[in-house]
């Protein structure tokens, strides 16, 4: 028996090879897809981190404003400046 394969053995080797290449191909495609998703998630994380920092800064500013508005004198002055409220007998001139 010199090393020649029968038709049945050849068919089995070919089918096994095709099956192995198919599995390897699926693994490669899945890996590439996962790498791309990881890249997208990292980019999204970076954007959300920037947004979080911005919102934290806004929170600090708003907290400061809340503390300042607890002072009645500041609140009255703020309302007069921002919303053009006036005291009795006071006239408002809006200059652009």
């Amino acid at each position: 028996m010199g090393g020649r394969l029968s038709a049945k053995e050849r068919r089995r080797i070919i089918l096994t090879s095709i099956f192995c290449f198919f599995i390897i191909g699926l693994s490669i495609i899945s890996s590439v897809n996962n790498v791309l998703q990881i890249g997208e998630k990292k980019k999204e994380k970076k954007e959300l981190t920037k947004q979080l920092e911005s919102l934290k800064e806004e929170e600090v500013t708003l907290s400061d404003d809340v503390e300042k508005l607890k002072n009645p004198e500041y609140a009255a002055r703020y309302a007069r400046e921002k919303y053009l409220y006036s005291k009795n007998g006071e006239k408002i001139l809006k200059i652009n």
Side-chain angles (χ1 to χ4, degrees):
M1 307 221 233
R4 297 200 38 95
L5 299 174
S6 68
K8 187 176 182 181
E9 290 174 332
R10 257 188 267 138
R11 193 177 319 123
R12 189 175 350 136
I13 290 173
I14 290 172
L15 290 176
T16 305
S17 299
I18 291 172
F19 180 73
C20 288
F21 285 126
F22 180 74
I23 296 296
I24 291 170
L26 284 178
S27 298
I28 290 171
I29 290 171
S30 177
S31 297
V32 169
N33 188 26
N34 288 339
V35 168
L36 293 175
Q37 285 180 350
I38 288 171
E40 290 173 6
K41 295 296 180 186
K42 284 182 179 181
K43 183 179 178 182
E44 183 179 351
K45 180 184 176 187
K46 190 180 229 181
E47 291 172 3
L48 290 174
T49 302
K50 287 180 183 178
Q51 185 179 1
L52 177 64
E53 291 300 320
S54 172
L55 289 173
K56 282 183 179 180
E57 290 174 7
E58 184 179 350
E59 179 186 20
V60 168
T61 303
L62 292 174
S63 295
D64 290 344
D65 288 346
V66 167
E67 289 300 316
K68 290 177 184 176
L69 287 171
K70 288 181 181 178
N71 180 348
E73 293 174 12
Y74 179 83
R77 191 181 87 217
Y78 182 81
R80 284 196 305 275
E81 290 175 2
K82 180 96 174 162
Y83 301 108
L84 302 177
Y85 285 122
S86 64
K87 293 181 183 178
N88 290 337
E90 198 176 52
K91 294 185 180 185
I92 298 175
L93 298 174
K94 186 175 179 182
I95 301 173
N96 289 331

